[in-house]
Amino acid sequence: MSGCCAKSSDSVPACGSEAKLIHSDVKDYYGKKLQKSEDLQTNACTTSAKPKPAFIRKALKDVHPEVTSRYYGCGLVVPESLENCYVLDLGCGSGQDCYMLSQLVGEKGHVTGIDMTEEQLAVARKHIDYHTEKFGFKKPNVDFVQGFMELLGEAGLKDSSYDIIISNCVVNLSPDKAAVLREAYRVLKDGGEMYFSDVYSNQALTKEIREHKVLWGECLGGALWWEDLVRLAQEVGFSPPRLVTASHIAIGNKELGSIVGDYKFVSATYRLFKVPKSCPKERSQVIYSGSITSWEKFLEFDANYTFKEGDAMVVDGDAAAILRSSRFADDFMIRPVEGGAAADVGCCPAKPKEIIVNPFELAKRLEPADIKPATGGCCGTKASGCA
């Protein structure tokens, strides 16, 4: 078989009729069956892998209670350096993340939310004026569009329109993940980023799990094998995924647990960047200037790198290309490590760093919950945390 119906052991995209059925089931589950987050039967769609920084907690307090009560998400999707950015939220639901981010991008920035569920969008649109007044803006800097994240063009979203795309536990609900990533890549500007949390499995799922309506609605049945994400993202054109954080998902429902069996799931946040092909990928020494609002002392970029203000650090070629080409370019001093050899940084020679991509490995390292990703340092490691 060929085309969209082609099947493999690692990825099974849905055909037209099957995709429509999945979309219909998801709309019914999130539009009618779920009325509040407490109606969920697992913690997959409400798990956050790390605590929220104070400025985000403050921003969330200003979101209308009805919007918050209809929130379903598996992570924290607030990348750094948001001022004046144009942001797209895939599967925005009731709009909680959109309204939180609208405060952080400011009046000169803009946030667009897209969702296919009428009931969720009705809640989001209902409170546009409330949040505009609450945030002290002269006019709204958010809008909401009905459509499918696999078909952003049909919803009127143009090429190279956004600085950042976020998504909170919804890519797993799509019957065609590759199409979601292709469309995201298309609408991002060069140097743009897709920063998203989602659910991943430790291996390719069985047909029984994939076709179970409740498991799909609970963000488990449509979960990608994490290795498929790494492959698909790079096939689309993104730089290799940068893993931010991860946590194991508990399935408390015995009936669902018996169907899932030995399969394991994690909630994980990744960063995907649209790095221009011309940008060099050279192992480099970087120094963070401390110029990003709310992250002046350190920038926890991913599970591999936490940049301290004023400290030099050697990064891999992909990370260096990301910093050079993205909105972070003005926040770093970057110089290649000549010949790819180790450079002296601080009191000890820099060594090639093992890059963590496997979310199950990271989730294991982060248990118990008070253990944070290693940040490196002067010939050692130290815990990192939120401000």
Side-chain angles (χ1 to χ4, degrees), residues 55-74:
F55 75 96
I56 294 176
R57 295 197 301 271
K58 181 179 182 299
L60 284 171
K61 285 182 180 179
D62 289 333
V63 178
H64 193 282
E66 184 181 9
V67 171
T68 302
S69 70
R70 295 292 296 269
Y71 166 78
Y72 318 109
C74 64

Side-chain angles (χ1 to χ4, degrees), residues 100-312:
M100 173 183 59
L101 291 170
S102 76
Q103 301 171 72
L104 302 180
V105 301
E107 283 194 272
K108 294 182 179 180
H110 191 87
V111 181
T112 296
I114 184 168
D115 204 279
M116 65 179 178
T117 308
E118 295 91 337
E119 292 85 353
Q120 290 279 72
L121 286 174
V123 174
R125 289 168 173 156
K126 176 181 176 182
H127 299 293
I128 289 178
D129 291 341
Y130 168 88
H131 290 99
T132 302
E133 182 178 351
K134 183 78 172 178
F135 304 156
F137 295 162
K138 294 180 180 178
K139 61 180 181 179
N141 69 342
V142 297
D143 70 309
F144 297 97
V145 179
Q146 185 170 6
F148 299 100
M149 55 187 166
E150 305 92 343
L151 300 167
L152 299 179
E154 291 188 3
L157 305 188
K158 298 179 180 179
D159 295 359
S160 304
S161 299
Y162 295 95
D163 301 292
I164 302 166
I165 293 175
I166 67 160
S167 173
N168 202 337
C169 204
V170 296
V171 174
N172 68 84
L173 298 173
S174 170
D176 191 348
K177 279 76 169 174
V180 174
L181 294 177
R182 282 195 300 270
E183 281 292 86
Y185 188 86
R186 179 183 65 81
V187 302
L188 277 174
K189 300 174 183 178
D190 281 348
E193 173 184 15
M194 182 173 179
Y195 186 102
F196 68 116
S197 294
D198 219 285
V199 177
Y200 299 94
S201 60
N202 63 335
Q203 56 185 311
L205 299 178
T206 64
K207 183 177 180 181
E208 179 186 13
I209 294 175
R210 293 198 312 271
E211 293 184 351
H212 194 283
K213 290 185 178 181
V214 174
L215 284 174
W216 196 285
E218 292 283 324
C219 305
L220 300 176
L224 266 180
W225 180 23
W226 72 269
E227 291 190 13
D228 277 349
L229 171 71
V230 174
R231 174 180 58 81
L232 288 172
Q234 293 179 84
E235 286 178 357
V236 165
F238 284 110
S239 61
R242 312 297 304 192
L243 178 61
V244 177
T245 190
S247 61
H248 288 113
I249 290 173
I251 303 175
N253 184 294
K254 291 184 178 180
E255 180 182 350
L256 296 180
S258 66
I259 298 171
V260 168
D262 293 332
Y263 286 89
K264 305 298 181 184
F265 298 88
V266 292
S267 164
T269 301
Y270 282 96
R271 318 183 77 139
L272 307 179
F273 285 86
K274 185 177 179 179
V275 176
K277 299 295 187 293
S278 60
C279 188
K281 297 181 179 180
E282 304 169 303
R283 188 163 170 262
S284 300
Q285 183 184 98
V286 304
I287 300 176
Y288 173 50
S289 67
S291 54
I292 298 177
T293 302
S294 299
W295 299 101
E296 291 85 359
K297 293 183 179 180
F298 68 90
L299 174 63
E300 192 173 356
F301 188 74
D302 61 14
N304 302 287
Y305 298 120
T306 292
F307 303 110
K308 291 184 179 180
E309 185 268 330
D311 284 2

Side-chain angles (χ1 to χ4, degrees), residues 30-89:
Y30 283 85
K32 297 181 173 63
K33 292 185 179 180
L34 297 182
Q35 296 301 312
K36 55 187 183 300
S37 59
E38 288 79 5
D39 293 334
L40 291 163
Q41 298 184 48
T42 72
N43 73 337
C45 293
T46 56
T47 299
S48 182
K50 63 180 182 179
K52 299 178 179 68
F55 75 96
I56 294 176
R57 295 197 301 271
K58 181 179 182 299
L60 284 171
K61 285 182 180 179
D62 289 333
V63 178
H64 193 282
E66 184 181 9
V67 171
T68 302
S69 70
R70 295 292 296 269
Y71 166 78
Y72 318 109
C74 64
L76 185 63
V77 287
V78 188
E80 314 82 7
S81 192
L82 291 168
E83 294 94 337
N84 303 327
C85 285
Y86 274 60
V87 180
L88 172 64
D89 182 0

